[in-house]
């Protein structure tokens, strides 16, 4: 779990937490390529959701308070999106954060197999 002094939770952290282990152990066991793959997948979902909503990059940036370069890095997976930015984007686009993880079947399967009290 996160230490109390760690306040920035990223999408990859959420995905790793959903996998059932602690973030430190899971992060160490996943290669940087695996983490980059998650970032690219989330970015692709982010871009698709923005396009479905009919919004421009500049419009999203203005609404959530992120500069255009950083936002484009989110969509390409070159920068890991933090939880606060994801929450703002989801509210703006009318989607759930879970929508960004629909293709992470190994994470979903693990969560669905757990007793409710563990989720």
């Amino acid at each position: 779990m996160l230490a109390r002094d760690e306040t920035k939770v990223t999408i990859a952290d959420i995905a790793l937490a959903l996998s059932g282990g602690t973030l430190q152990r899971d992060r160490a066991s996943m290669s940087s390529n695996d983490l980059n793959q998650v970032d690219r997948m989330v970015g692709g979902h982010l871009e698709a959701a923005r396009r479905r909503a009919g919004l421009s990059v500049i419009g999203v940036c203005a609404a959530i308070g992120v500069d255009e370069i950083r936002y484009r890095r989110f969509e390409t997976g070159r920068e890991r999106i933090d939880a606060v930015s994801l929450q703002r984007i989801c509210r703006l686009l009318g989607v759930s954060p879970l929508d960004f993880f629909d293709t992470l079947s190994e994470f979903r399967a693990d969560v669905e197999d757990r007793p409710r009290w563990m989720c």
Side-chain angles (χ1 to χ4, degrees):
M1 292 300 181
L2 290 174
R4 287 180 181 233
D5 61 338
E6 293 183 53
T7 57
K8 189 171 183 181
V9 177
T10 65
I11 299 306
D13 293 335
I14 294 168
L16 293 173
L18 289 174
S19 71
T22 64
L23 295 178
Q24 303 300 7
R25 186 186 72 224
D26 286 343
R27 187 172 281 159
S29 68
M30 289 184 78
S31 71
S32 62
N33 189 40
D34 292 334
L35 292 175
N36 291 340
Q37 183 178 2
V38 171
D39 293 334
R40 285 191 303 272
M41 181 207 60
V42 169
H45 286 304
L46 179 63
E47 180 181 11
R50 177 184 57 78
R51 289 180 186 273
R52 278 193 308 272
L55 295 173
S56 68
V57 169
I58 294 170
V60 172
C61 292
I64 67 168
V66 173
D67 67 76
E68 184 180 350
I69 293 170
R70 185 168 186 224
Y71 183 81
R72 288 190 186 276
R73 287 182 183 153
F74 290 159
E75 283 194 355
T76 60
R78 288 184 293 166
E79 184 172 335
R80 188 162 299 146
I81 187 169
D82 60 274
V84 172
S85 295
L86 178 65
Q87 181 183 28
R88 289 177 182 158
I89 292 167
C90 287
R91 283 185 184 151
L92 177 67
L93 302 179
V95 297
S96 165
L98 293 177
D99 294 342
F100 295 95
F101 299 99
D102 66 343
T103 57
L104 288 177
S105 59
E106 68 274 12
F107 295 128
R108 280 198 183 265
D110 183 51
V111 170
E112 290 169 358
D113 290 341
R114 286 190 220 162
R116 276 298 207 206
W117 61 271
M118 291 180 70
C119 293

